[in-house]
Amino acid sequence: MNISAAQVKIFYIITFLVIMNSNAQSLEGYDLWLGYSKIEDPVILPEYQRHTKSIFFNNGSAVLETAQKELVRGIDGLLGQPSNIHNSQSLLNTMWVSKKMDLDKDIVKPFKADFEQIGKEGFIIKSITVNDNSILLITANEDIGILYGVFKLLQLMKMHKSFEGINIVDVPKIELRMLNHWDNLDRTVERGYAGFSLWNWQKLPEYIDPRYEDYARANASIGINATVLTNVNANSLVLTSAYLDKVAALAEVFRPYGIKVYLTARFSAPIEIGGLNTADPLDKDVIEWWNDRAKKIYKIIPDFGGFLVKANSEGQPGPQNYGRTHVDGANMLANALRPFNGMVIWRAFVYSELDTTDRAKQAFTEFVPYDGNFLDNVLVQVKNGPIDFQPREPFHPTFGAMPNTPLVMEFQITQEYLGFSSHLVFLPKLYEEVLDAETYRKGKKSTVAQVIDGSLFNSKISGMAGVANIGTDLNWTGHPFAQANWYGFGRLAWNPYLSSEAIAEEWLRLTYSNNSEFVEPVKSIMISSREAVVNYMTPLGLHHLMDTGHHYGPGPWVSDLSRPEWNPTYYHQADKDGIGFDRTPSGSNATSQYSSEIAEIFNAPETCPEEYLLWFHHLPWDYKLKNGEILWDAVALKYQEGVDQVGEMISIWKQAKTYISDDQYNEVRMLLEIQLKEAKWWRNACLLYFQTFSGKKLPPGVELPEENLEFYRSLKFPYAPGN
Ligand code: GCU
């Protein structure tokens, strides 16, 4: 067969187009939930065209400039035509975007109560009638409220919501909504599974990667208003002038999006970069050094947020090195930042090698006695559970136990213990469970969310932090569905009472499609994914069974590490008589750190929720569960259930194929295959190991492991990421 030159040319053109097309598709994830492709829906499109015919935008500041830019970008994309924006107001306008102070008094008057409710950061989106003209009003007290209102408007449009009779009055319930980046100055990310750190310290401050602005947009679109740029295992170099200039350059990009930068402060910085021979918080020179450093920082970054500090935890330096307390350390820094309205966020993630009691008790024991002793620009940041970001933990008992100290919730968005960025796990389900938990600290309806948002104890300031899962990967988060965890964290930091199901739906519609035949099944995958990972990793309250250091895969047999509480055997306590950690009064008595109502429930195996059973109890292998199964069978069946749930997720995902691009479909399909393989690995390794104690056969319905225990024990992963 002869091929003509023209045919060759056509072949190359087609090949080129195919390559371009597939590149375009694999870049799709870069837009996150902010893609603005043209709305084709014939019903909603004319309505949006009508409302956006003539937009009055009252500009006048950097944040408002940003808001206008975002509105134009969104509307141009969604409607497929340039938007018609004016800076003078008229009754011919169909939309007004303006702060309250710039609106006519008569317009504002009927909504006085709404304006009072929305405070500094909230917004109102309302359909109003002025002289018989229907106008869509987006308004707020402050610039930042306008930006949030614009993002909300665009989200509503992306979800094809009608504006007829719209009346939204929305305000964040939590003040500090922050990401914590565990990013090192060499651009590695501790527990990061999505590439390297976004911050290109080498090229800053001159080179501004356009990605910094995209990062800020994404955060602002969900209301995140603070970012800690550096790892809690801190490097004091970031506090030197050379680095502060780089930090200032980032702050400048983030500022028009309402985002403040924070840094981690290494407690020994006065020694390392200050030339002092002590970092004692009561030492006069040390105090002066920090005061000076604060002055320097605020000169370069006038709206610097403050310090996040990990002190006397996992080898980090802190006040205890000098016989001082957390209060001494935190208050010394707070005094340095106070003249500039800076905050100190002091972490309560502590557990000492010298303390042989249950690790789950240590943070509470160390911090609760200090309640009320911190200065008022100190917040104490507490992880969601008492151990360390496990697939499931009961809520941290410190929530509710420090009524005179604002407590920041620390969630982990990066999946250190939840399958890295290979497993699809929708974390808002976990966050919701913690936030909804009853503390009983002021009777019934004293939930963790009420502690965090400050309403339970009337706290002056409130905060929620999420350890970021963001890196240089094209889609930011490694797994496309890990974007939903960033999104969902932001939504819950804005409003900790939102339901995870509503968040999943929003994210799917904003990211992929409004088609309910796509949304409903895929939402069911997301919703069941959290329970699946608990089942195939650590069912019935088991915890910390992961392999050492990198935390990749199962390692329940590990027992030889220098500190007892680093060993999985410390947590599961399996022996021939049974399994589980006794935290009742007959054991470590960790339950006593909860309110008596909660302690009572946890103390008895009969009343303890089964999902926490082995967290609080050591029980015999033939202990009978409520459904009549003996414990060994129940553990084995739960592991199997987890594997089956992933199988189910794969078969449901097949239904998604027709609604998204091949690349989008295949990317998740391949990742789900990894998840299934690893779920089986977890099941097999854990059951074979626990079977050496129970001595019992696997119950019917549980697949037999493909390999023997030695095989699973022999696996080594020196290059697992994120370590
Ligand atoms: C976990 C994690 C560490 C991290 C620590 C922390 O232990 O494995 O990498 O530094 O939490 O939160 O400080």
Side-chain angles (χ1 to χ4, degrees), residues 103-146:
L103 287 171
D104 192 288
K105 288 208 174 51
D106 290 338
I107 305 263
V108 169
K109 220 186 204 160
F111 320 125
K112 196 166 167 271
D114 292 344
F115 280 107
E116 272 161 23
Q117 195 191 322
I118 60 174
K120 280 193 183 144
E121 293 185 295
F123 58 84
I124 299 169
I125 303 180
K126 219 185 228 346
S127 166
I128 57 171
T129 308
V130 186
N131 293 351
D132 290 339
N133 293 316
S134 159
I135 291 177
L136 185 64
L137 175 68
I138 293 103
T139 184
N141 290 317
E142 305 279 344
D143 300 352
I144 188 65
I146 294 285

Short mmCIF file of all heavy atoms in Angstrom, two decimals, residues 103-146:
data_model
loop_
_atom_site.label_atom_id
_atom_site.label_comp_id
_atom_site.label_asym_id
_atom_site.label_seq_id
_atom_site.Cartn_x
_atom_site.Cartn_y
_atom_site.Cartn_z
N LEU A 103 -23.92 51.78 49.42
CA LEU A 103 -25.29 51.62 48.91
C LEU A 103 -26.19 52.73 49.47
O LEU A 103 -25.92 53.26 50.56
CB LEU A 103 -25.85 50.27 49.34
CG LEU A 103 -25.29 49.04 48.63
CD1 LEU A 103 -25.79 47.78 49.33
CD2 LEU A 103 -25.71 49.02 47.15
N ASP A 104 -27.22 53.01 48.75
CA ASP A 104 -28.21 53.99 49.20
C ASP A 104 -28.83 53.53 50.53
O ASP A 104 -29.13 52.35 50.71
CB ASP A 104 -29.30 54.04 48.11
CG ASP A 104 -30.21 55.20 48.33
OD1 ASP A 104 -31.02 55.16 49.29
OD2 ASP A 104 -30.12 56.15 47.53
N LYS A 105 -29.00 54.47 51.45
CA LYS A 105 -29.51 54.12 52.79
C LYS A 105 -30.86 53.41 52.75
O LYS A 105 -31.13 52.49 53.52
CB LYS A 105 -29.61 55.37 53.66
CG LYS A 105 -28.26 55.88 54.08
CD LYS A 105 -28.33 56.62 55.40
CE LYS A 105 -26.95 56.99 55.88
NZ LYS A 105 -26.11 57.68 54.85
N ASP A 106 -31.70 53.83 51.81
CA ASP A 106 -33.03 53.23 51.73
C ASP A 106 -32.97 51.77 51.29
O ASP A 106 -33.83 50.95 51.62
CB ASP A 106 -33.91 54.00 50.74
CG ASP A 106 -34.26 55.37 51.31
OD1 ASP A 106 -34.18 55.50 52.55
OD2 ASP A 106 -34.56 56.28 50.51
N ILE A 107 -31.94 51.45 50.52
CA ILE A 107 -31.78 50.06 50.06
C ILE A 107 -31.35 49.20 51.24
O ILE A 107 -31.82 48.07 51.43
CB ILE A 107 -30.67 49.99 48.96
CG1 ILE A 107 -30.96 50.93 47.82
CG2 ILE A 107 -30.40 48.55 48.54
CD1 ILE A 107 -31.63 50.34 46.64
N VAL A 108 -30.47 49.77 52.06
CA VAL A 108 -29.86 49.02 53.15
C VAL A 108 -30.82 48.79 54.31
O VAL A 108 -30.82 47.74 54.95
CB VAL A 108 -28.60 49.79 53.64
CG1 VAL A 108 -28.07 49.22 54.93
CG2 VAL A 108 -27.54 49.80 52.55
N LYS A 109 -31.64 49.81 54.56
CA LYS A 109 -32.50 49.83 55.75
C LYS A 109 -33.25 48.52 56.05
O LYS A 109 -33.15 47.99 57.16
CB LYS A 109 -33.50 50.98 55.62
CG LYS A 109 -33.71 51.70 56.92
CD LYS A 109 -34.79 52.68 56.70
CE LYS A 109 -34.88 53.85 57.54
NZ LYS A 109 -35.70 54.85 56.79
N PRO A 110 -33.94 47.95 55.07
CA PRO A 110 -34.71 46.75 55.42
C PRO A 110 -33.84 45.55 55.83
O PRO A 110 -34.35 44.60 56.42
CB PRO A 110 -35.46 46.42 54.12
CG PRO A 110 -35.23 47.54 53.18
CD PRO A 110 -34.12 48.37 53.68
N PHE A 111 -32.56 45.60 55.52
CA PHE A 111 -31.71 44.43 55.81
C PHE A 111 -30.72 44.71 56.94
O PHE A 111 -29.68 44.08 57.02
CB PHE A 111 -30.93 44.00 54.55
CG PHE A 111 -31.71 44.07 53.29
CD1 PHE A 111 -31.25 44.78 52.20
CD2 PHE A 111 -32.94 43.42 53.20
CE1 PHE A 111 -32.00 44.86 51.04
CE2 PHE A 111 -33.69 43.50 52.04
CZ PHE A 111 -33.23 44.22 50.95
N LYS A 112 -31.05 45.65 57.79
CA LYS A 112 -30.15 46.05 58.86
C LYS A 112 -29.67 44.84 59.68
O LYS A 112 -28.48 44.66 59.94
CB LYS A 112 -30.89 47.04 59.77
CG LYS A 112 -29.99 47.81 60.67
CD LYS A 112 -30.74 49.00 61.28
CE LYS A 112 -29.94 49.58 62.42
NZ LYS A 112 -30.19 49.00 63.72
N ALA A 113 -30.63 43.99 60.02
CA ALA A 113 -30.29 42.83 60.87
C ALA A 113 -29.33 41.89 60.13
O ALA A 113 -28.41 41.34 60.73
CB ALA A 113 -31.55 42.08 61.26
N ASP A 114 -29.52 41.75 58.83
CA ASP A 114 -28.63 40.88 58.05
C ASP A 114 -27.21 41.42 58.07
O ASP A 114 -26.24 40.68 58.23
CB ASP A 114 -29.10 40.77 56.59
CG ASP A 114 -30.41 40.02 56.47
OD1 ASP A 114 -30.78 39.34 57.46
OD2 ASP A 114 -31.06 40.11 55.42
N PHE A 115 -27.09 42.74 57.91
CA PHE A 115 -25.75 43.33 57.92
C PHE A 115 -25.07 43.16 59.28
O PHE A 115 -23.87 42.98 59.37
CB PHE A 115 -25.80 44.81 57.52
CG PHE A 115 -25.91 45.01 56.03
CD1 PHE A 115 -27.09 45.43 55.45
CD2 PHE A 115 -24.82 44.76 55.21
CE1 PHE A 115 -27.19 45.61 54.07
CE2 PHE A 115 -24.91 44.93 53.84
CZ PHE A 115 -26.10 45.36 53.26
N GLU A 116 -25.89 43.23 60.33
CA GLU A 116 -25.30 43.02 61.66
C GLU A 116 -24.81 41.60 61.80
O GLU A 116 -23.76 41.33 62.38
CB GLU A 116 -26.33 43.32 62.75
CG GLU A 116 -26.31 44.79 63.12
CD GLU A 116 -27.56 45.24 63.82
OE1 GLU A 116 -28.27 44.41 64.41
OE2 GLU A 116 -27.85 46.47 63.77
N GLN A 117 -25.56 40.68 61.23
CA GLN A 117 -25.23 39.27 61.36
C GLN A 117 -23.95 38.89 60.61
O GLN A 117 -23.20 38.01 61.04
CB GLN A 117 -26.41 38.46 60.82
CG GLN A 117 -26.38 37.00 61.19
CD GLN A 117 -27.43 36.23 60.39
OE1 GLN A 117 -28.53 36.73 60.15
NE2 GLN A 117 -27.08 35.04 59.97
N ILE A 118 -23.69 39.53 59.48
CA ILE A 118 -22.57 39.05 58.63
C ILE A 118 -21.20 39.56 59.05
O ILE A 118 -20.18 39.10 58.51
CB ILE A 118 -22.79 39.38 57.13
CG1 ILE A 118 -22.92 40.88 56.91
CG2 ILE A 118 -23.99 38.62 56.59
CD1 ILE A 118 -22.98 41.27 55.45
N GLY A 119 -21.14 40.45 60.01
CA GLY A 119 -19.85 40.89 60.54
C GLY A 119 -18.87 41.33 59.47
O GLY A 119 -19.26 41.90 58.45
N LYS A 120 -17.59 40.99 59.70
CA LYS A 120 -16.55 41.47 58.81
C LYS A 120 -16.42 40.65 57.54
O LYS A 120 -16.02 41.14 56.50
CB LYS A 120 -15.21 41.43 59.54
CG LYS A 120 -14.99 42.58 60.47
CD LYS A 120 -13.54 42.61 60.89
CE LYS A 120 -13.33 43.74 61.88
NZ LYS A 120 -12.37 43.41 62.90
N GLU A 121 -16.65 39.34 57.65
CA GLU A 121 -16.31 38.48 56.52
C GLU A 121 -17.51 37.90 55.77
O GLU A 121 -17.34 37.24 54.76
CB GLU A 121 -15.43 37.33 57.01
CG GLU A 121 -14.07 37.76 57.49
CD GLU A 121 -13.21 36.57 57.85
OE1 GLU A 121 -13.58 35.85 58.80
OE2 GLU A 121 -12.20 36.34 57.17
N GLY A 122 -18.70 38.12 56.30
CA GLY A 122 -19.87 37.52 55.67
C GLY A 122 -20.37 38.33 54.48
O GLY A 122 -19.83 39.39 54.16
N PHE A 123 -21.39 37.82 53.84
CA PHE A 123 -21.94 38.49 52.65
C PHE A 123 -23.42 38.19 52.53
O PHE A 123 -23.95 37.28 53.20
CB PHE A 123 -21.21 38.02 51.38
CG PHE A 123 -21.29 36.54 51.17
CD1 PHE A 123 -22.39 35.95 50.55
CD2 PHE A 123 -20.26 35.70 51.60
CE1 PHE A 123 -22.48 34.58 50.37
CE2 PHE A 123 -20.34 34.33 51.43
CZ PHE A 123 -21.44 33.77 50.81
N ILE A 124 -24.05 38.99 51.69
CA ILE A 124 -25.48 38.80 51.39
C ILE A 124 -25.63 38.71 49.89
O ILE A 124 -25.04 39.51 49.15
CB ILE A 124 -26.30 40.01 51.93
CG1 ILE A 124 -26.14 40.13 53.45
CG2 ILE A 124 -27.77 39.89 51.54
CD1 ILE A 124 -26.69 41.44 54.02
N ILE A 125 -26.40 37.74 49.43
CA ILE A 125 -26.77 37.69 48.01
C ILE A 125 -28.29 37.68 48.00
O ILE A 125 -28.92 36.76 48.55
CB ILE A 125 -26.24 36.42 47.30
CG1 ILE A 125 -24.71 36.33 47.43
CG2 ILE A 125 -26.65 36.41 45.83
CD1 ILE A 125 -24.09 35.12 46.77
N LYS A 126 -28.87 38.71 47.42
CA LYS A 126 -30.31 38.89 47.56
C LYS A 126 -30.89 39.41 46.26
O LYS A 126 -30.28 40.25 45.60
CB LYS A 126 -30.51 39.96 48.64
CG LYS A 126 -31.64 39.72 49.57
CD LYS A 126 -31.74 40.93 50.47
CE LYS A 126 -31.87 40.73 51.93
NZ LYS A 126 -32.16 39.62 52.64
N SER A 127 -32.05 38.93 45.95
CA SER A 127 -32.76 39.49 44.81
C SER A 127 -33.67 40.61 45.34
O SER A 127 -34.50 40.36 46.22
CB SER A 127 -33.58 38.35 44.18
OG SER A 127 -34.49 38.85 43.31
N ILE A 128 -33.45 41.83 44.88
CA ILE A 128 -34.26 42.95 45.40
C ILE A 128 -34.99 43.65 44.24
O ILE A 128 -34.61 43.49 43.08
CB ILE A 128 -33.42 43.99 46.17
CG1 ILE A 128 -32.28 44.53 45.29
CG2 ILE A 128 -32.86 43.41 47.44
CD1 ILE A 128 -31.55 45.72 45.90
N THR A 129 -36.02 44.39 44.60
CA THR A 129 -36.73 45.15 43.58
C THR A 129 -36.59 46.63 43.89
O THR A 129 -36.90 47.07 45.00
CB THR A 129 -38.23 44.76 43.56
OG1 THR A 129 -38.28 43.34 43.45
CG2 THR A 129 -38.95 45.38 42.40
N VAL A 130 -36.07 47.38 42.93
CA VAL A 130 -35.92 48.82 43.13
C VAL A 130 -36.64 49.51 41.97
O VAL A 130 -36.28 49.29 40.80
CB VAL A 130 -34.42 49.23 43.14
CG1 VAL A 130 -34.28 50.70 43.47
CG2 VAL A 130 -33.63 48.37 44.10
N ASN A 131 -37.61 50.32 42.31
CA ASN A 131 -38.44 50.98 41.28
C ASN A 131 -38.89 50.01 40.19
O ASN A 131 -38.66 50.21 39.00
CB ASN A 131 -37.66 52.12 40.61
CG ASN A 131 -37.40 53.24 41.58
OD1 ASN A 131 -37.94 53.24 42.70
ND2 ASN A 131 -36.58 54.18 41.18
N ASP A 132 -39.41 48.92 40.63
CA ASP A 132 -39.91 47.88 39.71
C ASP A 132 -38.83 47.12 38.94
O ASP A 132 -39.15 46.28 38.11
CB ASP A 132 -40.91 48.46 38.70
CG ASP A 132 -42.20 48.85 39.38
OD1 ASP A 132 -42.45 48.31 40.49
OD2 ASP A 132 -42.92 49.69 38.84
N ASN A 133 -37.57 47.46 39.19
CA ASN A 133 -36.51 46.70 38.52
C ASN A 133 -35.99 45.62 39.46
O ASN A 133 -35.75 45.87 40.63
CB ASN A 133 -35.32 47.61 38.17
CG ASN A 133 -35.70 48.60 37.12
OD1 ASN A 133 -36.37 48.24 36.15
ND2 ASN A 133 -35.33 49.85 37.33
N SER A 134 -35.82 44.47 38.90
CA SER A 134 -35.30 43.38 39.71
C SER A 134 -33.77 43.38 39.62
O SER A 134 -33.21 43.37 38.53
CB SER A 134 -35.90 42.07 39.20
OG SER A 134 -35.12 41.02 39.61
N ILE A 135 -33.15 43.44 40.77
CA ILE A 135 -31.68 43.53 40.82
C ILE A 135 -31.12 42.45 41.74
O ILE A 135 -31.67 42.20 42.82
CB ILE A 135 -31.25 44.94 41.31
CG1 ILE A 135 -31.62 45.96 40.23
CG2 ILE A 135 -29.77 45.00 41.64
CD1 ILE A 135 -31.34 47.38 40.56
N LEU A 136 -30.07 41.82 41.27
CA LEU A 136 -29.38 40.84 42.12
C LEU A 136 -28.28 41.58 42.87
O LEU A 136 -27.38 42.15 42.25
CB LEU A 136 -28.79 39.73 41.24
CG LEU A 136 -28.15 38.56 41.97
CD1 LEU A 136 -29.19 37.80 42.79
CD2 LEU A 136 -27.51 37.60 40.97
N LEU A 137 -28.40 41.58 44.20
CA LEU A 137 -27.47 42.36 45.01
C LEU A 137 -26.47 41.45 45.72
O LEU A 137 -26.86 40.49 46.37
CB LEU A 137 -28.28 43.15 46.06
CG LEU A 137 -27.48 43.94 47.09
CD1 LEU A 137 -26.74 45.11 46.44
CD2 LEU A 137 -28.41 44.46 48.20
N ILE A 138 -25.19 41.76 45.54
CA ILE A 138 -24.14 41.06 46.30
C ILE A 138 -23.50 42.13 47.17
O ILE A 138 -22.91 43.08 46.65
CB ILE A 138 -23.09 40.40 45.39
CG1 ILE A 138 -23.73 39.27 44.59
CG2 ILE A 138 -21.94 39.81 46.19
CD1 ILE A 138 -24.02 39.61 43.22
N THR A 139 -23.64 41.97 48.47
CA THR A 139 -23.15 43.03 49.33
C THR A 139 -22.53 42.47 50.60
O THR A 139 -22.69 41.28 50.92
CB THR A 139 -24.29 44.03 49.66
OG1 THR A 139 -23.75 45.10 50.42
CG2 THR A 139 -25.43 43.38 50.43
N ALA A 140 -21.78 43.34 51.30
CA ALA A 140 -21.06 42.92 52.51
C ALA A 140 -20.67 44.17 53.26
O ALA A 140 -20.76 45.28 52.72
CB ALA A 140 -19.82 42.13 52.12
N ASN A 141 -20.21 43.98 54.49
CA ASN A 141 -19.72 45.15 55.23
C ASN A 141 -18.31 45.52 54.81
O ASN A 141 -17.93 46.67 54.82
CB ASN A 141 -19.75 44.86 56.74
CG ASN A 141 -21.18 44.79 57.27
OD1 ASN A 141 -22.02 45.62 56.91
ND2 ASN A 141 -21.47 43.80 58.10
N GLU A 142 -17.51 44.50 54.47
CA GLU A 142 -16.10 44.74 54.17
C GLU A 142 -15.74 44.15 52.81
O GLU A 142 -16.45 43.30 52.28
CB GLU A 142 -15.21 44.07 55.23
CG GLU A 142 -15.51 44.45 56.66
CD GLU A 142 -14.88 45.78 57.07
OE1 GLU A 142 -13.96 46.24 56.36
OE2 GLU A 142 -15.33 46.34 58.08
N ASP A 143 -14.58 44.56 52.30
CA ASP A 143 -14.12 44.10 50.99
C ASP A 143 -14.09 42.57 50.89
O ASP A 143 -14.51 41.98 49.90
CB ASP A 143 -12.69 44.60 50.70
CG ASP A 143 -12.61 46.12 50.70
OD1 ASP A 143 -13.68 46.76 50.76
OD2 ASP A 143 -11.49 46.65 50.65
N ILE A 144 -13.57 41.95 51.95
CA ILE A 144 -13.37 40.50 51.88
C ILE A 144 -14.71 39.77 51.74
O ILE A 144 -14.82 38.75 51.07
CB ILE A 144 -12.55 39.99 53.09
CG1 ILE A 144 -12.17 38.52 52.93
CG2 ILE A 144 -13.24 40.22 54.42
CD1 ILE A 144 -11.24 38.22 51.80
N GLY A 145 -15.74 40.35 52.35
CA GLY A 145 -17.08 39.76 52.23
C GLY A 145 -17.54 39.77 50.77
O GLY A 145 -18.20 38.84 50.30
N ILE A 146 -17.19 40.84 50.07
CA ILE A 146 -17.56 40.92 48.65
C ILE A 146 -16.85 39.81 47.86
O ILE A 146 -17.46 39.13 47.04
CB ILE A 146 -17.18 42.31 48.07
CG1 ILE A 146 -18.02 43.41 48.73
CG2 ILE A 146 -17.31 42.33 46.56
CD1 ILE A 146 -19.48 43.48 48.27
#
